[in-house]
Amino acid sequence: MHQNAFRRTLVLDSSESTDGITGDIYALVDYPFGTVSVALDNPAQWCDVMILHVNTKYCRAASDHAPTIVTVYIGKKTPQPVDDAYPIAFTYRLDAAAVKYLDVRLNAANGPMSTRNYRIQLQAVPVGNSQTFLHLTYSYDFGLAGRLAMKTYLTTIGRDKVGFTLTGKPTDGPPEYIGGMRGVVERNTMRYYLAIEAYLGALATPPALQLQKRLQSWFTATEQYPRQLHEVSRTAYMGMKRSEYLRQQTPP
């Protein structure tokens, strides 16, 4: 799979129904299952993953009552006050944390632009002694108001944005990629996957340097797919995320 368009052992799939969209990534990572399981079975650690996404402004895991709530504030791709971002309250569930299986689920009833039923699910199983197979699902539903809002986005600032699925490859031009709602979900599924990858890749770095490593790795990975994922400069991203991470260490 290293010879594919992603230049990593990864397959991405997406689907769209009358009231929702889903993105799935299946990937093989070069980390033992024990390392992956310990790194991703804690809600607070998921906030360190989520904050890498360019649209995440703040994340807070509240474990002082059941169920655990992971609130992710979604906003612009530029610096923004937390109060101006949209909070999505995910219910965190560790469905399985066994010797050979991890299943983490985050579900939210409502999101921005009249979207609903958000689901982020990560499943992991060991492959030999040194690798782990991951399945990441990212999906949400929308009603009429949500579809109209997304249609407005896709005909204005999102009109030139595309996903990763090839829809055509002219002999005399660049490849043609899926757009629309499937393009939206493919971009965000990939951003979340690359955040997981960057988080895992920084674990062996001294703690004081892990944030810098994660930020650099996430941005570098997204820039491998500039047609789909380029949004801001490295300098702008690094400066914004350092500030957001610092802000994340205190209540909003």
Side-chain angles (χ1 to χ4, degrees):
M1 284 193 291
H2 276 299
Q3 302 304 314
N4 65 17
F6 298 109
R7 299 181 293 280
R8 50 187 18 104
T9 50
L10 180 151
V11 173
L12 184 151
D13 189 25
S14 67
S15 61
E16 179 180 1
S17 66
T18 56
D19 60 356
I21 49 177
T22 300
D24 287 286
I25 283 180
Y26 307 86
L28 189 65
V29 295
D30 293 328
Y31 305 101
F33 175 78
T35 299
V36 173
S37 182
V38 170
L40 296 173
D41 69 354
N42 183 293
Q45 292 164 316
W46 274 88
C47 277
D48 287 341
V49 172
M50 295 287 198
I51 197 64
L52 301 178
H53 191 302
V54 68
N55 288 109
T56 301
K57 303 290 100 181
Y58 187 93
C59 179
R60 172 66 63 176
S63 302
D64 52 348
H65 56 80
T68 296
I69 302 298
V70 177
T71 305
V72 182
Y73 288 74
I74 302 299
K76 300 176 181 179
K77 298 175 177 67
T78 53
Q80 182 181 19
V82 174
D83 289 345
D84 291 345
Y86 191 99
I88 304 180
F90 287 96
T91 299
Y92 173 92
R93 280 199 346 246
L94 185 60
D95 268 18
V99 176
K100 294 187 177 182
Y101 182 56
L102 175 71
D103 187 348
V104 178
R105 303 186 186 206
L106 295 97
N107 296 278
N110 299 295
M113 295 195 293
S114 300
T115 52
R116 61 180 188 268
N117 297 333
Y118 276 74
R119 179 168 69 102
I120 297 174
Q121 180 178 12
L122 180 73
Q123 298 167 294
V125 294
V127 178
N129 294 322
S130 61
Q131 293 181 307
T132 301
F133 180 79
L134 302 178
H135 174 205
L136 175 68
T137 298
Y138 172 68
S139 67
Y140 57 88
D141 297 337
F142 42 80
L144 177 60
R147 182 176 283 280
L148 291 174
M150 289 303 300
K151 184 176 181 180
T152 299
Y153 165 78
L154 292 169
T155 56
T156 54
I157 61 175
R159 63 183 178 277
D160 295 324
K161 295 183 179 295
V162 297
F164 293 89
T165 298
L166 277 171
T167 58
K169 193 171 184 180
T171 57
D172 58 349
E176 296 174 351
Y177 296 100
I178 193 78
M181 300 293 286
R182 284 182 60 190
V184 171
V185 79
E186 288 187 4
R187 290 194 299 277
N188 276 317
T189 306
M190 179 62 82
R191 287 185 177 114
Y192 283 123
Y193 170 76
L194 294 177
I196 292 170
E197 189 179 80
Y199 183 81
L200 293 173
L203 293 175
T205 304
L209 302 177
Q210 285 186 9
L211 175 62
Q212 179 76 2
K213 174 70 172 176
R214 293 196 297 263
L215 295 177
Q216 291 283 9
S217 296
W218 188 88
F219 188 86
T220 297
T222 61
E223 287 297 288
Q224 292 179 330
Y225 318 109
R227 180 72 180 88
Q228 292 84 5
L229 301 184
H230 177 77
E231 298 289 352
V232 298
S233 71
R234 183 183 296 270
T235 299
Y237 173 79
M238 296 294 291
M240 177 176 69
K241 286 299 165 182
R242 287 193 196 99
S243 296
E244 290 172 354
Y245 183 81
L246 181 62
R247 180 171 65 185
Q248 187 163 285
Q249 308 315 300
T250 57

